[in-house]
Amino acid sequence: MEEMIHIYHTNDLHSHLEHWPSIHKLVTERRRWHEEEGDEVFVFDIGDHMDRWHPLSDATRGKANCRLMNEAGYDAATIGNNEGITLPFEDLDSMYIEKEFEMLVANLYKQDGSRPAWAKPYHVYISKKGTRIGVIGVTVNFGRFYQQLGWNVIDPIEEIEKCVQELKEETDLIILLSHLGIHDDERIASQFPEIDVILGGHTHHILHEGKEVGSSLLGGAGKFGYYTGHVTVKLDQDTKTILQKSAVLYEMNEAGQAEGETEKSAVYYLEGKELMGEPVASLPAEITSDPMQHSELSKLLTQALREWCDADCAFMNAGMILKGLKQGDVTKFDLLEICPHPINPCTINMPGAELKEVLLQTRDETWPHMQIKGLGFRGTVMGVMEYDGIEFRQKGNVQQVFINGELIDAKKHYILAIPDMFTFGRFFPEIQRAEEKRYWLPEFLRNLLEWKLSKMTIHI
């Protein structure tokens, strides 16, 4: 006799709930169909289900995402970096308080060495036909950021090894939920032949029919809910030997869309908007913004960046502000809408000689039209650079740089405040190799703008 195990998986939804009604329909209908046939069914999420650009996720600090997974009947999930490092400690620690599924994060600890009450390294499921299925979860090791937020994330490979050692004699099938990225998944498949299925995320890879590496089958369903993955494992019921493994992706635009999907996803957005309707400031006049022009709003945020971080100077790309603010009350939703990025302030301590090189690089005429993807950026183009505490003056053929009215001193050290995305990409070599960096967590740039607006009256 043969046993069929069906595994449905999602990853990196990033709160793009446009196709969530269809995902919900697919996994709930398929569960019913398979169970009617006597087969086993599991539904897993591989992290970054939540992203705070969406008002419902931001307003509820991810609890709405937990609710949606409950309603869809998920069996287990792990966290991604969006759950892990864009929420204050207390928000992540309470996000899953009403979960009806297992949260598996083997490499996440509190700083006292204990595990959070809502998470465990793995869970063993027993199928109706007695097959023991061990499921492990791990997340990407952004240790520096977790440490600042009060968590301790350790090497996921070490934790996987511990889990595999405990599970390999006690289970018939091992599945890994890996928010590590495709390259680590391939490495893990080679290093741990005991793992039968690796369901991946983080790098948004799309594996239409899976990928076999050694004895493991890898799966990946892209991003934003464009796909839902389906892995099928066929076993010999008596010996528990795996006879066949296969993978397929269902494109959610074509997989039998849920009725009223657009309207349902709009309701999610409206619910979040209403929850974020609290006024935080009142403007006597409209403030406009344009990424290609120096504007009052982008100047204001750059000033807030320097003041919040108590830095000597600051710069920021104007494309960080997506549009202006109207006259009257400004709500939390308004600030989310114009500045949706999960980008934190960062300060760099650097000598004047290196700071000057960085600042001169920001004058490159190609910057404004540069299109950026990733690094937390949610805009379209970089836009012009805004400065605070920085002035450029031309003296003959030499461009001079002044910090707070004084000519920059090559040997003096300065504190520069910037959006943290400039430390991750290959924008500025001097910033990349700087050793004295401080990331100001958990505040986003929009929190700084709210702080600035709430404590001042703006005269346009």
Side-chain angles (χ1 to χ4, degrees), residues 2-190:
E2 295 175 348
E3 178 180 11
M4 296 293 291
I5 297 174
H6 297 274
I7 304 159
Y8 291 86
H9 59 100
T10 53
N11 62 272
D12 296 280
L13 194 78
H14 287 277
S15 290
H16 280 264
L17 302 179
E18 299 89 345
H19 295 306
W20 183 256
S22 292
I23 294 171
H24 180 283
K25 177 186 176 186
L26 177 74
V27 298
T28 53
E29 282 188 350
R30 292 299 183 94
R31 184 184 291 277
R32 187 177 71 253
W33 296 353
H34 296 315
E35 289 180 345
E36 287 174 354
E37 293 294 318
D39 296 341
E40 204 70 32
V41 188
F42 297 98
V43 183
F44 300 134
D45 185 76
I46 324 300
D48 277 0
H49 190 282
M50 185 216 72
D51 190 314
R52 288 178 58 186
W53 76 268
H54 194 289
L56 185 57
S57 296
D58 197 31
T60 65
R61 293 300 192 264
K63 292 182 178 65
N65 297 75
C66 180
R67 182 192 81 203
L68 294 174
M69 287 194 282
N70 282 342
E71 292 170 353
Y74 274 69
D75 294 285
T78 192
I79 64 169
N81 43 288
N82 270 271
E83 288 91 1
I85 62 172
T86 71
L87 290 170
F89 178 94
E90 58 275 12
D91 288 334
L92 176 58
D93 203 35
S94 62
M95 177 176 167
Y96 300 103
I97 196 167
E98 295 184 359
K99 67 179 175 60
E100 297 170 5
F101 49 89
E102 301 293 340
M103 280 304 301
L104 308 176
V105 201
N107 59 324
L108 177 68
Y109 294 86
K110 293 184 177 181
Q111 291 188 347
D112 64 3
S114 65
R115 292 187 183 275
W118 47 270
K120 58 186 181 179
Y122 60 80
H123 185 77
V124 178
Y125 297 89
I126 309 295
S127 76
K128 291 182 287 291
K129 297 179 180 178
T131 300
R132 302 164 301 171
I133 304 155
V135 184
I136 308 165
V138 288
T139 195
V140 64
N141 184 10
F142 287 168
R144 178 174 183 174
F145 300 98
Y146 277 98
Q147 190 78 22
Q148 282 191 240
L149 290 167
W151 299 103
N152 185 26
V153 167
I154 64 173
D155 181 5
I157 307 300
E158 291 180 8
E159 289 295 312
I160 291 170
E161 184 170 14
K162 292 177 188 176
C163 293
V164 168
Q165 290 302 315
E166 293 177 21
L167 290 172
K168 65 181 182 180
E169 302 299 331
E170 305 296 330
T171 58
D172 306 300
L173 180 70
I174 297 179
I175 300 168
L176 176 66
L177 313 183
S178 165
H179 195 85
L180 302 180
I182 182 64
H183 300 300
D184 277 352
D185 290 353
E186 292 171 345
R187 172 189 166 197
I188 290 164
S190 300

Side-chain angles (χ1 to χ4, degrees), residues 273-281 329-334 450:
K273 180 178 180 179
E274 291 175 350
L275 289 171
M276 299 188 74
E278 175 191 350
V280 296
D329 286 346
V330 176
T331 66
K332 287 182 177 290
F333 173 77
D334 293 328
E450 177 182 337

Side-chain angles (χ1 to χ4, degrees), residues 54-55 265-275:
H54 194 289
S265 62
V267 168
Y268 297 141
Y269 197 86
L270 182 60
E271 181 185 348
K273 180 178 180 179
E274 291 175 350
L275 289 171

Side-chain angles (χ1 to χ4, degrees), residues 377-420:
F377 190 58
R378 302 287 188 264
T380 53
V381 295
M382 183 72 75
V384 299
M385 285 293 182
E386 293 284 8
Y387 305 93
D388 194 64
I390 298 164
E391 184 184 356
F392 299 91
R393 301 178 192 171
Q394 195 71 29
K395 186 176 182 180
N397 294 325
V398 177
Q399 191 167 54
Q400 296 181 321
V401 178
F402 288 77
I403 304 297
N404 296 315
E406 295 185 0
L407 187 64
I408 195 167
D409 185 334
K411 295 181 179 180
K412 180 181 176 180
H413 277 246
Y414 298 87
I415 303 296
L416 168 69
I418 53 173
D420 69 6

